[in-house]
């Protein structure tokens, strides 16, 4: 541990396979509530003694009991006494009164001996729980043994640190990296299973963003259809500066059913009133894309923004390093036409060092297509 500006900076503890297993288990529980807990983080918790599971729980929905209290309750329901046990949490236990009392109080009262957590809570009010536990004589350790558990809190930590929502982009491309033909045809590059996957991704987002070019070319509906449970009704967001989209576009025509937002440099008065308009400053490319992303956090309280735009918006986002996560849907086809549209355009990148970089998380085949899941590359 070291001190930084009055706040304690945690140094990861060298933990072993047991911590990795327990934290991954806690993360898998937490994942069940993704889309239900935001703007809170998804958190899972597992309580063990000598490798034996005593109890487990997760934060189920915004405002409900936190994972630590759920796990302690589960432990007692199963007839176990948590005294002397080890608690594994995906996020540092909170130490403040919010919608729920501090988790540190519950842990201290329970008599547990050790708390292992996969991520430090950066919140000004909620963070610092580890120090509170240590003061009460509980061993509190940061463990990076489970990447799944550590990265689970990325969107929450990102928003607390930067004020920006987490941006995940999805695009479908051919093997030669084209997302539409030279005439703008892109429906459909991938097969039906992959397209269903897109609906599931939408069902977790707070906002689905496209640029004017995609509205004009595809007239998309951007809703989550054929999904077992839509957790969040995402607002459809159009980014444009030139008032080029038709007021009769499907997104505007259905704005009374599904929230629709125009992020623009100047208000339009030819759109239905139910289309919310957010005015932000312009930039060389049109709308200042960073201000647009910030506005979705500030005005819509969006935590997760899914981008389904074309190459111009994607190029602007990559230029400003605003893509946190990408889902590239690769189809087994080749256009081989230099006039076909590339996935991202509009940047000056003469050197390889100018490339936006990502690291591969997972490659998942779906019928003949493959979903390549990436995260922003961070220097080790
Ligand atoms: N395969 C796929 O996954 C996929 C996905 C989406 C789209 N597409 C294809 O992509 C093509 C459309 O490409 P596109 O590049 O025109 O679509 P786009 O990126 O969705 O929209 C670009 C437009 O957004 C507006 N804009 C506002 N601020 C901007 C900024 N900061 N940076 C960039 N653009 C900004 C501009 O229009 P204003 O001048 O009006 O502001 C710009 O022309 C279509 O053929 C569509 O089928 C394919």
């Amino acid at each position: 541990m070291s001190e930084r500006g009055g706040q304690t900076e945690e140094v990861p503890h060298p933990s072993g396979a047991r911590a990795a297993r327990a934290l991954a288990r806690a993360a898998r529980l937490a994942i069940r509530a993704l889309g239900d807990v935001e703007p809170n983080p998804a958190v899972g918790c597992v309580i063990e003694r000598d490798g034996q599971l005593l109890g487990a729980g997760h934060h189920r929905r915004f405002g409900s009991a936190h994972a630590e209290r759920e796990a302690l309750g589960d432990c007692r329901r199963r007839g176990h006494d948590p005294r002397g046990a080890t608690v594994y949490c995906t996020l540092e236990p909170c130490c403040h009164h919010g919608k729920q009392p501090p988790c540190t109080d519950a842990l201290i009262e329970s008599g547990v001996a050790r708390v292992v957590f996969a991520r430090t809570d950066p919140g000004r009010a909620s963070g610092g729980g580890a120090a509170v536990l240590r003061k009460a004589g509980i061993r509190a350790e940061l463990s990076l043994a489970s990447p799944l558990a550590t990265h689970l809190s990325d969107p929450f930590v990102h928003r607390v640190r930067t004020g920006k929502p987490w941006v995940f982009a999805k695009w479908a491309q051919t093997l030669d990296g084209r997302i539409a033909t030279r005439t703008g045809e892109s429906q459909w590059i991938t097969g039906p299973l992959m397209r269903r996957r897109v609906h599931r991704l939408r069902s977790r987002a707070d906002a689905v963003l496209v640029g004017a070019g995609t509205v004009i070319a595809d007239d998309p509906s951007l809703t989550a259809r054929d999904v077992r449970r839509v957790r969040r009704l995402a607002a459809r967001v159009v980014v444009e500066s030139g008032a080029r989209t038709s007021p009769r576009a499907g997104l505007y025509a259905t704005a009374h059913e599904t929230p629709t937002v125009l992020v623009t440099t100047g208000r339009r008065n030819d759109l239905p009133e139910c289309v919310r308009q957010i005015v932000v400053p312009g930039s060389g490319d049109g709308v200042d894309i960073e201000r647009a992303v910030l506005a979705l956090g500030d005005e819509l309280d969006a935590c997760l923004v899914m981008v389904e735009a074309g190459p111009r918006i994607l190029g602007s986002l990559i230029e400003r390093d605003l893509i946190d996560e990408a889902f590239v849907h690769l189809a087994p086809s080749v256009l081989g036409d230099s006039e076909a549209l590339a996935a991202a355009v509009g940047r000056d990148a003469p050197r390889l060092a100018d490339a936006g970089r990502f690291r591969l998380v997972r490659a998942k085949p779906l019928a003949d297509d493959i979903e390549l899941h990436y995260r922003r590359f961070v220097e080790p």
Side-chain angles (χ1 to χ4, degrees):
M1 238 175 321
S2 63
E3 290 291 324
R4 194 187 53 179
Q7 271 221 327
T8 307
E9 193 183 329
E10 295 286 337
V11 175
H13 193 268
S15 32
R18 184 175 285 178
R21 250 191 330 268
L23 287 171
R25 186 176 203 158
R28 284 194 297 273
L29 278 176
I31 286 168
R32 292 184 190 171
L34 279 176
D36 288 329
V37 292
E38 292 85 358
N40 280 351
V43 183
C45 178
V46 161
I47 304 177
E48 290 186 357
R49 187 186 292 112
D50 303 325
Q52 186 208 344
L53 178 73
L54 303 184
H58 66 286
H59 183 40
R60 288 164 191 273
R61 69 193 68 79
F62 182 67
S64 76
H66 288 181
E68 295 85 335
R69 284 180 191 271
E70 288 275 351
L72 285 167
D74 184 49
C75 180
R76 292 183 181 114
R77 271 193 302 279
R78 293 166 182 243
H80 299 301
D81 182 348
R83 264 178 294 184
T86 298
V87 176
Y88 296 93
C89 299
T90 57
L91 186 67
E92 179 182 9
C94 74
C95 60
H96 82 310
H97 281 273
K99 284 199 181 308
Q100 293 287 331
C103 294
T104 46
D105 284 2
L107 292 167
I108 292 166
E109 279 159 26
S110 73
V112 298
R114 180 171 164 239
V115 173
V116 179
F117 55 97
R119 194 71 182 259
T120 312
D121 185 342
R124 226 171 254 232
S126 54
V132 173
L133 294 173
R134 288 187 193 111
K135 243 185 219 155
I138 296 176
R139 273 167 66 198
E141 297 160 8
L142 171 67
S143 163
L144 305 182
S146 163
L148 181 69
T150 299
H151 289 300
L152 177 72
S153 305
D154 279 353
F156 170 75
V157 170
H158 174 75
R159 187 148 185 231
V160 172
R161 288 207 179 126
T162 67
K164 290 177 204 146
W166 182 260
V167 173
F168 65 100
K170 166 261 135 190
W171 68 86
Q173 66 171 52
T174 59
L175 290 178
D176 53 338
R178 304 296 170 167
I179 59 109
T181 64
R182 61 166 70 199
T183 59
E185 189 187 340
S186 66
Q187 291 167 339
W188 303 103
I189 290 176
T190 49
L193 270 187
M194 194 60 95
R195 298 207 304 274
R196 278 192 71 178
R197 166 84 182 131
V198 175
H199 288 269
R200 284 206 299 280
L201 288 171
R202 281 180 195 155
S203 74
R204 290 186 189 163
D206 300 299
V208 179
L209 180 152
V210 291
T214 299
V215 177
I216 294 165
D218 301 342
D219 196 15
S221 58
L222 303 179
T223 50
R225 302 181 296 279
D226 293 332
V227 176
R228 213 181 308 139
R229 185 161 77 90
V230 177
R231 293 167 182 235
R232 332 204 21 100
L233 183 59
R236 289 113 26 115
V237 178
V238 180
V239 178
E240 75 165 6
S241 61
R244 291 189 296 133
T245 51
S246 163
R248 286 176 298 283
L251 292 178
Y252 305 137
T254 56
H256 57 285
E257 297 162 7
T258 309
T260 306
V261 178
L262 180 74
V263 180
T264 172
T265 47
R267 284 189 71 81
R268 286 177 64 164
N269 49 26
D270 59 344
L271 298 183
E273 255 180 41
C274 50
V275 175
R276 181 165 174 187
Q277 300 195 30
I278 300 176
V279 177
V280 298
S283 71
D285 310 317
V287 168
D288 180 328
I289 201 71
E290 187 158 10
R291 297 291 285 268
V293 168
L294 274 167
L296 298 182
D298 295 344
E299 307 266 333
L300 307 183
D301 199 18
C303 301
L304 295 171
V305 174
M306 177 172 177
V307 174
E308 290 200 60
R312 286 189 178 77
I313 290 277
L314 284 175
S316 293
L317 289 166
I318 289 169
E319 179 65 16
R320 307 288 281 268
D321 192 21
L322 286 168
I323 299 184
D324 301 298
E325 197 171 10
F327 295 88
V328 179
H329 291 173
L330 191 61
S333 57
V334 177
L335 279 166
D337 179 353
S338 61
E339 300 290 309
L341 305 191
V345 299
R347 303 182 67 224
D348 277 333
R351 301 165 311 153
L352 275 177
D354 301 322
R357 287 181 69 194
F358 296 90
R359 76 180 162 77
L360 182 67
V361 177
R362 194 173 69 150
K364 187 181 176 194
L366 269 177
D368 283 343
D369 302 320
I370 299 181
E371 179 179 79
L372 298 168
H373 176 193
Y374 296 96
R375 290 261 171 137
R376 169 193 282 112
F377 179 81
V378 180
E379 290 294 345

